[in-house]
Amino acid sequence: EAQVTQNPRYLITVTGKKLTVTCSQNMNHEYMSWYRQDPGLGLRQIYYSMNVEVTDKGDVPEGYKVSRKEKRNFPLILESPSPNQTSLYFCASRAGTGGLNTEAFFGQGTRLTVV
Amino acid sequence: AQKITQTQPGMFVQEKEAVTLDCTYDTSDPSYGLFWYKQPSSGEMIFLIYQGSYDQQNATEGRYSLNFQKARKSANLVISASQLGDSAMYFCAMRELLGGQNFVFGPGTRLSVLP
């Protein structure tokens, strides 16, 4: 089954404690991205990757890091989380080729709370 | 400036009635795609419908149709014969060819279907 898997689904952590949210896809997609969802703001892109070892900042990259060492994995790293990073996070992937209607697959979401 | 505007934070509709969720967008790219996603309370993102900027006809998918008015830059979602299971957040999103095909999302509309 084609899917994007995020872990964990829920996470409560304390300010400053480094954490990683994993994202893995099984569709051999070139393009992967991370979003955060906040009330009244919709989903905003944090980082994206067009392929292995290629990453770019999205609209809200501050406080986040990513890596793309393998095609299937695109972890999101918060080196020193702060309460304003409390949010719902989504990973997504799609094929790098194809038109604008190329289907994007979203993970189940990770609800992060930083206290 | 907001690229995607959804002016209705919340909407109510009676079961079996039709409802229109508004979406306006802003782009200077002649090639773009417009998407609608549904997010039920469980949190996952469910793709509903796609409209390409060069598509001559309005997109339809079952009970969903997209009222595409290119000159007005609007892409409203019409849900016919609402069902209780349609209660969810609905996001309008755009991908621009020149913008690297990254998603830009609107703030969302929460639809509640009343029995």
Side-chain angles (χ1 to χ4, degrees), chain A residues 70-90:
Chain A
E70 309 163 281
K71 203 171 189 180
R72 64 182 292 125
N73 296 323
F74 190 45
L76 180 69
I77 303 154
L78 284 73
E79 295 268 2
S80 183
S82 62
N84 65 11
Q85 292 178 298
T86 293
S87 189
L88 177 60
Y89 291 86
F90 285 98

Side-chain angles (χ1 to χ4, degrees), chain A residues 9 31 35 37 40-43 45 48 50 88 90 94 98-102 104 106 108, chain B residues 31-33 35 37 39 42-45 50 91 95-97 100-103 105-107:
Chain A
R9 292 290 311 277
Y31 180 97
Y35 299 86
Q37 180 182 344
L41 297 176
L43 282 76
Q45 191 176 56
Y48 64 98
M50 300 291 278
L88 177 60
F90 285 98
R94 60 172 170 83
L100 286 161
N101 60 344
T102 303
F106 284 83
Q108 321 94 300
Chain B
S31 299
Y32 55 90
F35 302 75
Y37 282 86
Q39 186 181 55
S42 50
E44 73 267 30
M45 296 289 284
Y50 167 83
F91 291 101
R95 283 184 7 206
E96 300 162 287
L97 190 63
Q101 294 201 41
N102 293 319
F103 272 119
F105 285 87

Side-chain angles (χ1 to χ4, degrees), chain A residues 37-52:
Chain A
Q37 180 182 344
D38 301 290
L41 297 176
L43 282 76
R44 293 177 293 165
Q45 191 176 56
I46 303 170
Y47 269 95
Y48 64 98
S49 169
M50 300 291 278
N51 215 323
V52 176

Side-chain angles (χ1 to χ4, degrees), chain B residues 46-63:
Chain B
I46 302 169
F47 166 72
L48 294 179
I49 196 166
Y50 167 83
Q51 180 86 42
S53 59
Y54 294 115
D55 293 342
Q56 295 295 313
Q57 294 196 317
N58 286 343
T60 61
E61 290 285 350
R63 293 186 299 110

Side-chain angles (χ1 to χ4, degrees), chain B:
Chain B
Q2 286 274 21
K3 285 206 164 190
I4 300 285
T5 303
Q6 294 179 255
T7 57
Q8 307 150 314
M11 288 276 287
F12 290 91
V13 65
Q14 209 67 41
E15 196 178 5
K16 299 178 186 171
E17 301 274 307
V19 63
T20 298
L21 306 184
D22 294 342
C23 172
T24 57
Y25 59 92
D26 183 28
T27 181
S28 55
D29 190 338
S31 299
Y32 55 90
L34 297 157
F35 302 75
W36 278 91
Y37 282 86
K38 173 183 178 182
Q39 186 181 55
S41 57
S42 50
E44 73 267 30
M45 296 289 284
I46 302 169
F47 166 72
L48 294 179
I49 196 166
Y50 167 83
Q51 180 86 42
S53 59
Y54 294 115
D55 293 342
Q56 295 295 313
Q57 294 196 317
N58 286 343
T60 61
E61 290 285 350
R63 293 186 299 110
Y64 305 107
S65 61
L66 202 152
N67 184 359
F68 182 45
Q69 298 188 49
K70 194 170 181 177
R72 293 187 176 187
K73 293 188 174 177
S74 103
N76 298 339
L77 177 71
V78 181
I79 306 175
S80 63
S82 298
Q83 302 171 355
L84 295 178
D86 293 334
S87 294
M89 277 292 284
Y90 288 81
F91 291 101
C92 180
M94 177 173 65
R95 283 184 7 206
E96 300 162 287
L97 190 63
L98 296 177
Q101 294 201 41
N102 293 319
F103 272 119
V104 176
F105 285 87
T109 295
R110 182 170 297 282
L111 177 67
S112 299
V113 180
L114 306 174

Side-chain angles (χ1 to χ4, degrees), chain A residues 2-3 11 29 39-40 47 52 54 57 67 72 75 81 85 88 99 107 109:
Chain A
Q3 59 185 4
L11 179 59
H29 284 165
Y47 269 95
V52 176
V54 179
K57 294 178 180 179
S67 70
R72 64 182 292 125
Q85 292 178 298
L88 177 60

